[in-house]
């Protein structure tokens, strides 16, 4: 971080074990004259595609619940065979669902499909139940 602040150098850093470590990016921010440079630290995502992003994508293309589950599993790196085993269905069923998702979304391959979902802007839930110690909007029961 010191190199970023003083010399304007960007760095990609892994904290902890190389495979299981936390990845972050250290980016220098412009400082005014006579000021110490500020540094922006950006943490990597834990997963390539969030369930919320996959769900939004599925809704936009009117995918069925099963197709949405297959989409999320593909985005998490599972193979069609692994998806079939996990859901207790035949591989032909998963292949049919993948073909349906590809047809509805207009993509040429599973790779293109995963890339489209991975490139979505980050989505976060905005309506969360407030703790009893905080004031704010509450969801109706």
């Amino acid at each position: 971080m010191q190199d970023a602040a003083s010399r304007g150098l960007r760095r990609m850093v892994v904290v902890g074990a190389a495979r299981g470590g936390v990845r972050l990016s250290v980016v220098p921010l412009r400082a005014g004259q006579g000021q110490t440079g500020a540094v922006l630290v950006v943490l990597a995502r834990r997963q390539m595609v969030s369930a919320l992003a996959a769900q939004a994508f599925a809704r936009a293309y009117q995918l069925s619940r099963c197709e949405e589950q297959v989409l999320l599993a593909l985005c998490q790196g599972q193979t069609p065979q692994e998806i079939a085993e996990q859901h207790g269905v035949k591989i032909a069923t998963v292949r049919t669902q993948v073909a349906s998702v590809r047809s509805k979304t207009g993509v040429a391959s599973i790779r293109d499909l995963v890339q489209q979902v991975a490139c979505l802007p980050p989505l976060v839930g905005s309506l969360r139940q407030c703790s009893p110690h905080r004031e704010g909007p509450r969801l109706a029961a």
Side-chain angles (χ1 to χ4, degrees):
M1 283 196 269
Q2 186 174 353
D3 283 345
S6 62
R7 298 176 39 207
L9 299 176
R10 299 170 186 259
R11 292 278 188 255
M12 189 72 68
V13 180
V14 178
V15 179
R19 269 186 86 68
V22 176
R23 286 160 175 62
L24 51 96
S25 178
V26 180
V27 181
L29 299 176
R30 196 175 293 202
Q33 282 202 328
Q35 296 178 342
T36 304
V39 175
L40 174 66
V41 177
V42 182
L43 297 174
R45 291 191 252 183
R46 291 193 179 268
Q47 55 188 354
M48 187 170 64
V49 176
S50 72
L52 192 56
Q55 184 181 42
F57 185 86
R59 283 187 182 165
Y61 287 97
Q62 299 178 338
L63 303 183
S64 71
R65 180 73 179 131
C66 290
E67 291 167 344
E68 178 184 330
Q69 289 174 340
V70 167
L71 172 68
L72 182 57
L74 290 171
C75 290
Q76 292 172 339
Q78 293 182 16
T79 65
Q81 182 63 44
E82 291 168 337
I83 297 167
E85 291 169 5
Q86 181 182 0
H87 293 280
V89 297
K90 295 187 185 269
I91 185 69
T93 302
V94 174
R95 286 184 180 139
T96 299
Q97 291 167 331
V98 169
S100 179
V101 170
R102 287 181 47 221
S103 174
K104 288 179 180 181
T105 59
V107 297
S109 67
I110 292 174
R111 181 181 180 176
D112 292 343
L113 176 67
V114 171
Q115 184 176 4
Q116 273 194 16
V117 180
C119 289
L120 291 174
L123 297 172
V124 288
S126 61
L127 296 178
R128 295 192 179 132
Q129 191 171 9
C130 296
S131 70
H133 304 291
R134 289 177 43 195
E135 291 298 318
R138 295 187 180 264
L139 299 176

